[in-house]
Amino acid sequence: MALKLFNTLSRSVQEFIPLDPSGKNVGLYCCGPTVYDFAHIGNWRTFVFGDLVRRTLEFKGHAVTHVMNITDVEDKIIKRVRETKTSLREFTGKYEAAFLEDLDRLNCRKPTVMPRATEHIKEIISLIEKLIQRGVAYQAADGSVYFSIEKYRGCGCAYGRLLKLNFDELRAGERVKSDEYAKESAADFALWKARVPEDGDIFWPGPWGEGRPGWHIECSAMSLKVLGDSFDLHLGGEDLIFPHHEDEIAQSEGATGKPFVKYWLHGAFLLVEGKKMSKSLGNFFTLRDLLAKGFTGREIRYLLLTAHYRETFNFTLEGLQGAHTALARIDECVGKLREIIGTPASGTAQSDSQPAVPEAGAPTDLLARFAAALDDDLNISAAWAAVFEWVRETNKRIAENSLNASDAASALAAWEKVDSVLGIGTKSGTEIPAEILALAEARTAAKKAKDFKRADAIRDELKAKGWAIEDTPKGPKLKKI
Ligand code: AMP
Ligand code: ZN
C-alpha cells in the first residue's frame, strides 16, 4: 500500500512517491534545534514527529538520508552569548550536547547527518553570491545583503506558496533584518547581516564585509549541500511555515532554478494544560523537567505519539500518568510472550531492531492494520487501536492456553516490527541501567581475554546488584533477579 501524506504545498493528502526513480532512496530534512536553551516539550513533539516519519519510511523499506541541522548562530543565540559572557562555541556546545542526550532519551534515531551552521559559512556565502548574480539579492546601504521579493517575483517565481500571502497589502521594498517576523511584515529579508557592535566577536569575513548569516539561508545552504538541489521531504513545526520555510523555498529555488522540496510536512503545536507554554504560566517544561519529576523518556515519547501530527495536542501531567498505565499493558503482554518462548529479556537498550517476520502463523492482522494506519497520513490513533486490540486478543489467547511457543514467537516478531516505528521498546528492555550494561560489557571483554576469574567476579557483582547474566547463542542476556 502507498503512503499518503498531507503536503502543505498542495494543501492536500498526496501519495508519497520518492524522487529517486528506483523508489528506494529518500531525502528528509528536519529543521533542527536552535541551541540557545534546553529544548522544551513542544520542540520535542516536533522532533518525535520527525522520527516517526523517518521510522515509517524505513519500515516501508526506504533508505532514508535524514538531515537535521544545528542552528548554532542566529539572533537569540547572539543575545544569550552576550548576556552570559561566554564564547559562541562554548555556549552552543552545551545545549547541543544536551539536545543529543535528550534525543537519545526519547529513543529518536540519530539523524544521518547533523550539520552545524557555523561550519557551512563558505557554502552560505557562495549561495548568497549566486542569488546576487541571478539578480534576486542585493546589498543595502547598511552593508547587509537582502533577498528581493519583488525581483524574485519578477522572474516569474512565486513567493508565498505554503502560506497564501496578499501581496496588495505588502509594501514592496521594505526590509526586515531580524530572523523572526510576522506575515504582516513580509519584506525583503536578510541573507547576510553586516557586523554590528552587539555581535561582539561573532562574525565572519565575507565578500560584503564582516558579518554573519541570516537564519533562513543556513537551512537552504545545508540542505542543498547534503541532499542536492531537489529532495523529497522537509519537515518542521507549523510556526516555521512562515517566514522560515517560505524564505527557504525562495532562496533555494532562486539560486538553483529547480523545484526545492516535493513534500512539506508540518506538525501542529503542543499546548500545555490547554494553554500556550510560557514560563510565567508555570506550564513550561523541558524534557529534563519531566524526567526530574520521575517520568521516563518512553512515557513522554508514548504520550507525544498519541495524537495525530496535524492536530494540536494538549499535554497534561495526567496524560503522562495514563502513558504509564498504557505502557504497562504492553509490557505485561510482551513479557508473557517472552515467557512462553522461554527467552529472557533482551539485553539491548530497546527493541529497535527490525527482525524478519516469520511466514507461518504471523499475526498479520496487527501488522496489516498498523501499516494501513500509517499509510493513511500517519493515522496514529488507528495505529494504537491496532496495537491495543492485539494486546487484548493476545492476552485472551494466553489466558486460554491456546498460544504455543511458535505462535508466541510470531506475535513477538510482529510486535517488534511495529515497535521499530513506535520506538517505545518494552520495560524489560529499556530499564537496564548504564552501570549494569557496562559491567556486562566488561565481563564479555574479560571472557574474550580468557580472564575467567575476573568474568566470574563481575557475574557476582552483577548478582549483588540484582541482575543475572545468562550466556545464550546470541550473546549474553541480562535479567532482573
Ligand atoms: P527552535 O529550536 O525554536 O528552532 O524549534 C525547534 C522546532 O520546534 C521547530 O520545528 C519548531 O517549529 C518546533 N516548536 C516550537 N514550539 C513548539 C510547540 N509548542 N509545539 C510543537 N512544536 C514546536
Ligand atoms: Zn530550517
Side-chain angles (χ1 to χ4, degrees):
M1 272 243 310
L3 173 63
K4 295 196 182 73
L5 296 167
F6 184 88
N7 187 354
T8 312
L9 202 55
S10 65
R11 291 171 189 81
S12 63
V13 175
Q14 288 180 302
E15 185 177 333
F16 174 68
I17 304 168
L19 292 168
D20 172 18
S22 80
K24 173 96 181 156
N25 299 302
V26 173
L28 166 68
Y29 187 92
C30 301
C31 287
T34 304
V35 281
Y36 75 107
D37 209 335
F38 297 110
H40 61 62
I41 196 69
N43 301 133
W44 284 113
R45 179 183 190 197
T46 298
F47 297 128
V48 168
F49 160 51
D51 185 59
L52 174 70
V53 172
R54 179 213 172 139
R55 285 172 177 262
T56 299
L57 291 164
E58 287 176 342
F59 173 79
K60 294 188 73 71
H62 295 292
V64 183
T65 304
H66 178 192
V67 185
M68 185 192 278
N69 69 294
I70 301 282
T71 301
D72 61 352
V73 57
E74 57 80 75
D75 295 350
K76 292 192 292 285
I77 294 178
I78 293 187
K79 187 166 172 274
R80 292 275 180 98
V81 166
R82 199 169 58 234
E83 286 164 1
T84 54
K85 298 188 171 58
T86 38
S87 74
L88 179 67
R89 188 69 198 113
E90 194 188 335
F91 179 81
T92 58
K94 173 179 160 192
Y95 293 111
E96 183 187 309
F99 178 80
L100 293 176
E101 260 176 52
D102 291 358
L103 195 71
D104 198 42
R105 282 189 181 132
L106 287 172
N107 199 28
C108 292
R109 287 188 179 155
K110 194 155 182 255
T112 328
V113 192
M114 297 189 79
R116 292 191 190 108
T118 52
E119 288 167 6
H120 290 81
I121 302 294
K122 197 172 79 200
E123 287 80 359
I124 291 169
I125 289 176
S126 61
L127 190 57
I128 300 174
E129 281 178 324
K130 216 180 257 174
L131 290 169
I132 293 177
Q133 273 162 21
R134 291 188 141 230
V136 292
Y138 61 94
Q139 186 168 25
D142 67 354
S144 298
V145 179
Y146 291 88
F147 185 91
S148 165
I149 293 183
E150 205 185 349
K151 291 273 166 52
Y152 180 68
R153 296 183 75 215
C155 312
C157 299
Y159 181 83
R161 275 186 285 154
L162 296 171
L163 185 89
K164 286 205 170 83
L165 287 172
N166 182 354
F167 280 93
D168 297 336
E169 286 175 8
L170 304 175
R171 286 151 301 192
E174 285 200 8
R175 286 191 277 271
V176 54
K177 197 169 174 187
S178 59
D179 285 329
E180 290 180 62
Y181 52 91
K183 93 177 188 304
E184 290 66 38
S185 51
D188 290 3
F189 55 92
L191 301 169
W192 184 260
K193 303 185 189 199
R195 182 183 173 193
V196 290
E198 300 86 76
D199 290 343
D201 61 0
I202 304 172
F203 64 88
W204 287 263
W208 319 281
E210 290 167 345
R212 61 179 173 101
W215 169 37
H216 316 297
I217 196 79
E218 295 176 5
C219 275
S220 282
M222 291 183 273
S223 59
L224 293 176
K225 180 184 175 196
V226 186
L227 294 170
D229 291 351
S230 302
F231 58 92
D232 299 290
L233 293 146
H234 199 311
L235 184 150
E238 61 186 353
D239 59 323
L240 297 192
I241 296 177
F242 184 88
H244 189 56
H245 288 164
E246 213 65 84
D247 290 352
E248 273 192 52
I249 297 177
Q251 296 161 151
S252 307
E253 299 193 358
T256 68
K258 294 182 197 149
F260 178 42
V261 171
K262 195 168 173 191
Y263 304 91
W264 285 89
L265 308 188
H266 292 100
F269 252 40
L270 174 133
L271 298 179
V272 174
E273 311 280 354
K275 297 192 180 76
K276 195 169 175 229
M277 224 184 325
S278 95
K279 289 209 166 119
S280 58
L281 288 174
N283 65 354
F284 185 95
F285 295 117
T286 63
L287 180 69
R288 282 143 196 260
D289 294 333
L290 295 172
L291 295 173
K293 284 183 187 292
F295 296 107
T296 63
R298 68 192 287 255
E299 286 163 358
I300 298 162
R301 179 179 173 97
Y302 171 84
L303 189 61
L304 294 177
L305 278 177
T306 50
H308 189 259
Y309 75 95
R310 285 197 285 123
E311 278 165 17
T312 307
F313 176 59
N314 189 26
F315 179 91
T316 62
L317 292 176
E318 214 172 50
L320 263 183
Q321 304 283 3
H324 184 83
T325 315
L327 288 171
R329 280 178 60 203
I330 297 175
D331 290 345
E332 196 196 348
C333 177
V334 172
K336 281 194 261 178
L337 288 174
R338 284 202 179 117
E339 266 172 39
I340 296 173
I341 304 162
T343 49
S346 146
T348 52
Q350 301 234 339
S351 57
D352 198 20
S353 56
Q354 300 180 33
V357 178
E359 292 290 325
T364 44
D365 202 37
L366 168 66
L367 270 177
R369 284 187 59 193
F370 182 78
L374 290 178
D375 280 346
D376 177 20
D377 190 28
L378 309 175
N379 185 343
I380 202 75
S381 322
W384 284 116
V387 168
F388 285 107
E389 271 174 42
W390 170 80
V391 168
R392 220 174 4 254
E393 188 59 29
T394 306
N395 282 339
K396 203 169 128 220
R397 288 182 67 195
I398 294 171
E400 288 165 353
N401 255 333
S402 67
L403 208 76
N404 62 27
S406 151
D407 296 335
S410 300
L412 199 58
W415 160 250
E416 285 183 354
K417 186 106 175 82
V418 163
D419 192 48
S420 72
V421 178
L422 299 174
I424 55 163
T426 46
K427 195 173 182 185
S428 48
T430 53
E431 305 229 324
I432 302 175
E435 177 205 16
I436 300 297
L437 284 173
L439 279 172
E441 276 166 27
R443 179 177 165 272
T444 307
K447 279 181 68 181
K448 239 186 188 160
K450 301 219 181 315
D451 184 352
F452 298 111
K453 216 169 136 196
R454 174 152 166 73
D456 286 347
I458 296 176
R459 178 196 285 272
D460 292 343
E461 194 181 340
L462 279 167
K463 202 170 163 198
K465 290 184 190 291
W467 291 83
I469 191 156
E470 200 175 301
D471 292 309
T472 75
K474 285 187 183 161
K477 300 272 175 192
L478 283 161
K479 197 181 178 185
K480 193 113 180 75
I481 301 168

